[in-house]
Amino acid sequence: WPCSPRRGGAACPSAGQIRAAFLRFFEERHGHRRLPSAPVRPRGDPRLLFVNAGMNQFKPIFLGTVHPRSELAQHRRVVNSQKCVRAGGKHNDLEDVGRDTYHHTFFEMLGNWSFGDYFKEEACSMAWELLTEVYEIPRDRLYVTYFGGDPSLGLSADEECRDVWLRLGVPASHVLPFPLKDNFWEMGDTGPCGPCTEIHYDHVGGGRNAAALVNQGSPDVVEIWNLVFMQYSREVEGNLLPLPQHHVDTGMGLERLVTVLQNKRSNYDTDLFTPILDAIHKGCRAPRYQGLVGDADVGRVNMAYRVVADHVRTLCVCVTDGIYPGFSGAELVLRRILRRAVRFCSEVLGAPPGLLASLVPTVVEVLGDAYPELTRNANQIKDIINENEAAFLSSLERGRRIIERTVQQIEPSTNFPAEVAWSLYGSLGFPLDLIDLMLEEKGITLDSAAFNELALEDAKRKAGGLQAEQPGSTNTQLDVHSLAQLQGSSVPATDDSPKYAYTLGQHGQYEFSPCQATVLMLYRDQSLQKEVGAGQRCGVILDRTNFYAEQGGQDSDQGYMIRLGQQDVLFPVESVHLCGGYVIHEVTAVETLRAGDQVQLFVDEAQRLACMTNHTATHLLNFALRHVLGDNTEQRGSHVTAERLRFDFDTKGHVTVEQLQQVEQVVQDLIKKNEVVHMAEVPLTLARRVEGLRAVDEGYPDPVRIVSLGVPVENVLTCDSEAAMQTSVELCCGTHLLQTGSVEDLAIISERQLVKGISRVIAVTGKQAKEAREVGQCLALEVDSVSLRMKQRITSIPEMQNLSKEVGQLTQVVASTAMPQWQRRELQTILKALQRTANTAIKKLELQQAEKKAQILLAKYCNQPVIIDTVPADSLSILMKVVNQLCDKSPGTSVLLLSPQASGEVLCACQVSKNCLPTFSAADWAVAVCTQMEGKAGGSPIVAKGSGNAKGMQGALTTALEFAQSKL
């Protein structure tokens, strides 16, 4: 094991050797299966922003919801090194990063797991063997803690664990009990939990007893490994029940372990960080990193080094795993991480733009061997960092201007408006501490209470949205005890193969085979029941079903079931879910329903067929996007409903109008060919060998279903077959059409970028696609009609204004109507140009009209110092132009004009000659006149405008003259 430190010697093991030794130890000595790290984008858990612990990917095992045929369900002993990010949400280390030498946003978690295999004895023994024999850490520097019990929960001390450590030879003075908050681990408010034992390391050593410093926040004695023994489940009521199966979940932070084995006191002094810190020094004008913290770190230079080194690692890992800086959720957190790093680069380290992206090759060098995906995505990471940095620097400049302008507007007040600060923070991503700093320099303070209120409202709104995303009914989510009870009672998993039992009739119609089943169990209020009364909502578990349960991005079937012999009593099936191999039908019992009842199942055929159509169309779309945009186009998510389909994918830039047309054309060609849709179940290992196979990052059952368009599955599986490169071949459990011709048509009705690098398209099929095209054609004709009228010579301002209004209304209709997206973009481009043309024409006509009126008034008043009069004008804009024209042609004249309107309103516009400033103010003049007409006015000392009521117009003219005479 080439990883043990030679204490006192020069040669220390590298981080790579330490990581590799951990994985090999469990794989080779103790028969664990080595798994790759899951991506840091969580799979199927909307409550998590990022994967923040090694156990995240194994939650279905702990909860008992894992599909019995899935690869995940076969695991007994597992080891891996998991990429983790803790920033945002419950585990938020972001603001602490840089202040000390051990907080990180990205870290690696070394872990070994047992799923119903070994427990405390073996777990502790393996951990002790690795630390003391392989890594050769001196035993006298290690301390272990165990759960000391909690009388309020009726839990006694974990003496079993304590005795294991004593038998391993750990001195009693190094085996320490601690309460619930330190040594009892919980997954959440409810769910699997249990006592844990932690291993702590004393950096000082020297034969001292450091037991008093364990769990006291001392930097000298740190926790390095946590072994969790999952043996309970916390229920909704707060009580604990024993788990049907015991699991072991251990986690050891690689960064801390490397610090110990390389004889360092700071994670940033290990070879996981020193190459990055050296690269930062080369790229900036700051002095070299010295490891200083707190007051000793003058100018926060060392903090900046740590922030940038940590954050660039996080950026590299997140971007590689498909999380890009954006505006909500994990994407928003990553945006803040990037912007925090950019600020420290520019403001503290004095680095030029581009330093952050220049560090990517160094990060790849440090982490690329363990995570090869980083090497493959290095150029993309650099591009995304550079683009976002440029956008942020531009936002900073814009934010500074907004602050300057707001400060001027609020003078003489010294309270900065909270809503402006919130807008800067939320919309521009302007850092809050920078807002405070800039305001402090100007002697202005932010209304923090109002700002916090806005933040609280935003958090509540987001929490409400998250709540909506949570699985709705407790009658369809089996809890871990009910699952164990079903399995313990030998209740078989539901046979749902009848969902695939349908054929294509002679006349092209789909025929769905009937399905008869037996009620095995009912589930209500988190308990299994044999009987449910009328009017009660429950989950129904059958021995077999033809209903499709929601999975793989496809909505569940709906329909009804009837009891045999009771044709007139329908039990509506509202939704269907899969849980641990059992299909749960959510039903409202119209009569008493009992286990043992024989039922006949009827799927809503129209809804099922629509889902089948849209799911097959999704595969066609996936293939077409790859064909048009390139092989690097990877699926990021999809959702199929009866109404439409949604598809998210990687993209380097905006999808053009031409590309959208090409994608639709590729799909339509495949529809016209009426290709046969081949489906077959094959072993997962065999399926994964297929070159060009399309699959998303999720757990698949074994065997797995392959869906291939036009090419039989056996041909796809043959050695050296390139069929999957030429057509659509995907792993998919969904229900599909048997021939592509039934799709009829596909129209992409929306395409937008969710975040930089990920686009979302929404498409419709069949009749809806045809309707979308027809609507598009109708709107195109309307736009052509407006274009033709715009080209005619229009001399009437009202007529041109009506045309402009029509363009505006058409623009709104085009933006909101379901129509082909390529056509929408084309029409939007035309309408934008028409709007500009209309606005220019209106201005030109107004100017011509203003010139005529100005000429008449000039002839009437001939170089007089003040002109006060009434003129007909269709708008305030025209009236202002007349005033401007008069003053341009007679610079020494001050002008005020009123224009009575048919509505009874009087418009007012005025301009004061520069020769009359500052005694004569246009704004004061307009206010005096409009006040006389019971109206309002405003403006600058030179120009002003307003309006009032026609009843006071004569008095207003008198006031205008008297005011002017008093100032001249």
Side-chain angles (χ1 to χ4, degrees), residues 645-926:
L645 61 100
R646 189 198 79 209
F647 192 81
D648 301 343
F649 58 96
D650 285 340
T651 175
K652 294 220 180 294
H654 286 284
V655 183
T656 65
V657 166
E658 292 73 21
Q659 287 170 330
L660 286 169
Q661 288 175 309
Q662 288 167 19
V663 167
E664 282 192 4
Q665 192 57 56
V666 171
V667 172
Q668 281 156 9
D669 290 345
L670 288 167
I671 292 169
K672 280 176 193 164
K673 284 181 183 175
N674 199 20
E675 299 275 21
V676 174
V677 181
H678 298 275
M679 291 167 273
E681 284 196 344
V682 300
L684 190 57
T685 49
L686 200 60
R688 285 202 163 127
R689 289 184 204 148
V690 175
E691 189 71 29
L693 177 81
R694 309 299 275 176
V696 292
D697 171 48
E698 63 177 50
Y700 289 98
D702 190 10
V704 69
R705 195 170 175 81
I706 286 185
V707 178
S708 170
L709 301 187
V711 180
V713 174
E714 56 268 26
N715 293 7
V716 169
L717 295 172
T718 56
C719 195
D720 299 328
S721 169
E722 291 190 359
M725 305 293 284
Q726 315 300 327
T727 186
S728 167
V729 180
E730 297 193 31
L731 297 184
C732 183
C733 60
T735 56
H736 285 271
L737 297 172
L738 301 175
Q739 288 180 256
T740 60
S742 301
V743 176
E744 294 180 9
D745 192 5
L746 177 139
I748 296 171
I749 58 170
S750 169
E751 185 279 325
R752 66 185 178 91
Q753 280 210 324
L754 291 180
V755 293
K756 192 77 177 171
I758 297 183
S759 277
R760 168 171 290 178
V761 295
I762 292 172
V764 290
T765 58
K767 286 180 183 174
Q768 281 181 287
K770 189 183 175 189
E771 285 168 12
R773 293 191 193 285
E774 286 171 356
V775 168
Q777 289 304 315
C778 290
L779 287 171
L781 289 171
E782 285 190 49
V783 171
D784 285 345
S785 166
V786 173
S787 295
L788 283 171
R789 280 181 283 150
M790 195 73 79
K791 286 172 185 171
Q792 293 166 5
R793 189 173 174 81
I794 297 172
T795 54
S796 159
I797 291 175
E799 195 179 337
M800 185 53 83
Q801 283 172 332
N802 286 337
L803 205 52
S804 173
K805 191 176 178 183
E806 198 176 329
V807 170
Q809 288 167 342
L810 255 179
T811 301
Q812 286 180 338
V813 171
V814 166
S816 60
T817 304
M819 63 186 291
Q821 181 69 3
W822 64 264
Q823 193 171 29
R824 186 195 320 279
R825 290 222 189 122
E826 281 188 348
L827 295 182
Q828 283 174 329
T829 304
I830 295 167
L831 287 166
K832 207 171 182 181
L834 288 175
Q835 194 67 70
R836 279 198 302 267
T837 303
N839 292 345
T840 304
I842 289 167
K843 281 178 187 172
K844 194 174 176 183
L845 289 169
E846 285 181 349
L847 209 57
Q848 288 171 355
Q849 198 179 98
E851 278 178 358
K852 286 178 186 172
K853 293 181 190 300
Q855 288 295 348
I856 295 165
L857 288 166
L858 274 173
K860 180 177 177 181
Y861 290 99
C862 195
N863 294 328
Q864 288 186 23
V866 177
I867 297 177
I868 297 168
D869 208 335
T870 61
V871 292
D874 293 329
S875 67
L876 191 54
S877 170
I878 295 173
L879 189 64
M880 199 76 236
K881 283 184 175 70
V882 177
V883 170
N884 297 152
Q885 290 276 339
L886 281 167
C887 292
D888 286 348
K889 289 181 167 58
S890 178
T893 304
S894 297
V895 180
L896 184 142
L897 298 179
L898 298 180
S899 178
Q901 304 293 299
S903 63
E905 184 186 28
V906 176
L907 305 178
C908 168
C910 65
Q911 184 170 333
V912 168
S913 169
K914 288 179 183 177
N915 304 336
C916 303
L917 297 174
T919 52
F920 195 0
S921 161
D924 294 344
W925 198 13

Side-chain angles (χ1 to χ4, degrees), residues 306-449:
R306 290 187 289 268
V307 166
V308 174
D310 172 88
H311 288 9
V312 75
R313 284 167 30 111
T314 305
L315 286 162
C316 289
V317 167
C318 286
V319 170
T320 294
D321 286 349
I323 301 174
Y324 304 117
F327 296 93
S328 64
E331 284 79 10
L332 176 60
V333 175
L334 195 66
R335 180 176 180 241
R336 287 179 181 153
I337 287 171
L338 184 139
R339 292 184 163 203
R340 189 169 186 252
V342 169
R343 278 188 57 215
F344 275 98
C345 278
S346 60
E347 293 173 16
V348 182
L349 298 175
L355 171 67
L356 206 54
S358 75
L359 303 175
V360 172
T362 310
V363 176
V364 171
E365 197 178 308
V366 173
L367 297 173
D369 287 344
Y371 310 108
E373 59 271 23
L374 287 168
T375 310
R376 293 193 296 270
N377 289 280
N379 289 334
Q380 184 196 16
I381 298 166
K382 283 196 280 189
D383 290 346
I384 284 174
I385 289 175
N386 278 329
E387 285 169 14
N388 280 275
E389 179 179 28
F392 179 46
L393 293 173
S394 164
S395 292
L396 276 182
E397 193 48 48
R398 194 169 154 211
R400 285 192 178 99
R401 288 199 302 270
I402 290 171
I403 289 174
E404 295 280 355
R405 190 170 68 244
T406 307
V407 167
Q408 285 175 3
Q409 287 172 350
I410 64 169
E411 285 177 351
S413 169
T414 57
N415 276 339
F416 194 80
E419 58 275 13
V420 177
W422 179 254
S423 170
L424 286 169
Y425 176 73
S427 304
L428 285 183
F430 208 86
L432 191 54
D433 59 339
L434 189 58
I435 296 172
D436 284 332
L437 195 68
M438 290 182 67
L439 295 179
E440 194 181 316
E441 288 167 2
K442 298 175 184 300
I444 305 279
T445 54
L446 173 63
D447 185 347
S448 298

Side-chain angles (χ1 to χ4, degrees), residues 40 49 132 141 167 201 226 233 378 531 534 548 674 722 781 856 877 889 896 929 934 948:
V40 293
L49 291 172
T132 61
R141 290 198 180 202
R167 284 197 298 275
Y201 174 78
N226 187 10
S233 172
E531 184 178 304
Y548 182 84
N674 199 20
E722 291 190 359
L781 289 171
I856 295 165
S877 170
K889 289 181 167 58
L896 184 142
V929 170
E934 298 176 350

